[in-house]
Amino acid sequence: MRLHVPGQPLVLDRIPRPEPGTGEVQLRVLACGVCRTDLHVVDGELTDPVLPLIPGHEIVGSITALGEGVGSLQVGDHVGVPWLGWTCGTCDHCAAGRENLCAKARFTGYTREGGYAEYCVADARYCFPLRGIQAAADAQAAAPLLCAGLIGYRTWRLAGGETPRRLGIYGFGAAAHILVQLAVAKGQSVYAFTRQGDITAQAFARRLGAVWAGGSDETPPEPLDAALLFAPVGELIPIALSHVRPGGAVVSGGIHMSDIPSFPYRLLWEERSVGSVANLTRRDGEEFLPLAARLPIRTETRAYPLEEANQALADLREGRLTGAAVLMP
């Protein structure tokens, strides 16, 4: 399924199977999650895709061929392919362990071909080995971990990790439904904020362990130690700040957000902070994926055939999903 013109539906195309280059692996795609970032790409809010483009960056696949110079991976291995697809490895950011900020970075499903397809290729260095993929259901369950899980984990880590006792989550979609399980397992109290009147999402949050769930216009029963934002709505920044105690943090996990309105300095005062997450690093995957297996984290997904990618994107755009959408070639 390829994007030819931003703002237009994806088109089902038949193209040659991609062959792996040096350092790359070819994968048979078993499952590919549908992420909000895919919406931003398809809708033209991320403005520099390589067109025509195969979107998708929550890929679970089985290796079918190896390019030259691939060392540790073998044909038949199951791997996950995330958003971060390549970095230069030599710039100041890469040298400092912040490869997510590399100015030359390439991104799966944006500036590299993605996983809305039967086959794809990926740089072997940026693939995460996966264990326990025995059936299609396993791949379907694992796919959302490759971005919703990883970006959620990085957002949580930058907001203090286990330290905040009362954690607010704004936007209860794919990332939040994974992260709430991690936070509850770590002994944190989660307060979930959804679209106004979305009682289905609020019930879903409580079922997964949130101690309170309400609309984004509501005030939580207690001040928050930190707030994480997964809804791309800039108006939520000052709202979240107003509910965070002195010294607390508000961290946005999205790659795109509407403009943040002006707000009084008193909301930021008393050493509150506002931050953002840009992409992910391989370290995030090396830490989070084994943790997700140990807890274990259970994803809730809805499967779509590959050719129904436009319907999956529409359901995500309109808030009709509970959990995450996954394409199954």
Side-chain angles (χ1 to χ4, degrees):
M1 295 297 290
R2 290 204 294 179
L3 177 68
H4 291 265
V5 180
Q8 296 297 314
L10 304 181
V11 177
L12 181 62
D13 289 337
R14 292 190 178 276
I15 61 175
R17 185 181 302 182
E19 295 298 329
T22 300
E24 293 183 328
V25 293
Q26 180 194 72
L27 305 173
R28 181 169 65 89
V29 178
L30 304 176
C32 185
V34 178
C35 178
R36 185 164 293 278
T37 300
D38 299 336
L39 272 184
H40 297 316
V41 173
V42 171
D43 292 346
E45 293 166 330
L46 295 179
T47 57
D48 298 309
V50 174
L51 297 175
L53 172 73
I54 302 172
H57 58 274
E58 295 180 327
I59 306 167
V60 176
S62 174
I63 295 177
T64 47
L66 305 174
E68 293 185 8
V70 175
S72 59
L73 297 176
Q74 302 294 326
V75 170
D77 287 350
H78 292 116
V79 297
V81 182
W83 171 251
L84 186 66
W86 181 91
T87 59
C88 74
T90 59
C91 69
D92 290 344
H93 290 308
C94 286
R98 305 182 75 185
E99 61 185 5
N100 57 312
L101 302 180
C102 175
K104 297 180 181 179
R106 299 173 193 164
F107 303 105
T108 310
Y110 184 45
T111 53
R112 289 178 62 99
E113 297 282 39
Y116 287 19
E118 294 173 315
Y119 287 84
C120 71
V121 297
D123 189 314
R125 299 170 301 170
Y126 295 81
C127 295
F128 297 118
L130 297 176
R131 305 286 183 262
I133 305 296
Q134 304 296 330
D138 301 325
Q140 179 180 329
L145 299 177
L146 273 303
C147 185
L150 288 173
I151 292 296
Y153 173 77
R154 185 171 181 84
T155 306
W156 174 79
R157 187 161 65 81
L158 293 187
E162 300 180 39
T163 302
R165 292 189 300 113
R166 295 182 293 270
L167 189 67
I169 299 180
Y170 286 80
F172 208 85
H177 101 282
I178 292 170
L179 187 58
V180 67
Q181 297 177 64
L182 170 60
V184 169
K186 296 294 184 179
Q188 295 169 295
S189 297
V190 174
Y191 298 75
F193 298 83
T194 71
R195 296 184 187 190
Q196 298 175 24
D198 191 345
I199 59 175
T200 300
Q202 292 164 20
F204 182 42
R206 286 190 289 267
R207 177 162 63 82
L208 291 175
V211 298
W212 178 89
S216 59
D217 59 330
E218 297 183 49
T219 299
E222 297 182 89
L224 305 174
D225 296 313
L228 312 181
L229 272 65
F230 298 110
V233 182
E235 290 85 353
L236 291 176
I237 293 287
I239 291 173
L241 277 171
S242 72
H243 298 319
V244 169
R245 63 164 180 78
V250 174
V251 180
S252 173
I255 195 171
H256 175 83
M257 178 178 275
S258 60
D259 288 347
I260 301 171
S262 63
F263 56 87
Y265 176 64
R266 61 177 173 80
L267 295 181
L268 188 62
W269 187 58
E270 294 180 307
E271 300 190 354
R272 295 176 181 87
S273 64
V274 177
S276 69
V277 164
N279 315 313
L280 64 128
T281 67
R282 283 172 286 181
R283 172 192 165 189
D284 295 316
E286 291 161 0
E287 291 178 354
F288 171 70
L289 293 172
L291 178 61
R294 285 198 308 271
L295 287 177
I297 286 175
R298 306 292 186 190
T299 58
E300 301 212 10
T301 60
R302 183 191 300 178
Y304 296 77
L306 176 62
E307 59 271 22
E308 293 182 14
N310 288 311
Q311 184 61 57
L313 288 164
D315 289 344
L316 175 59
R317 184 184 292 109
E318 299 302 321
R320 293 191 288 261
L321 291 170
T322 298
V326 180
L327 300 182
M328 305 295 290

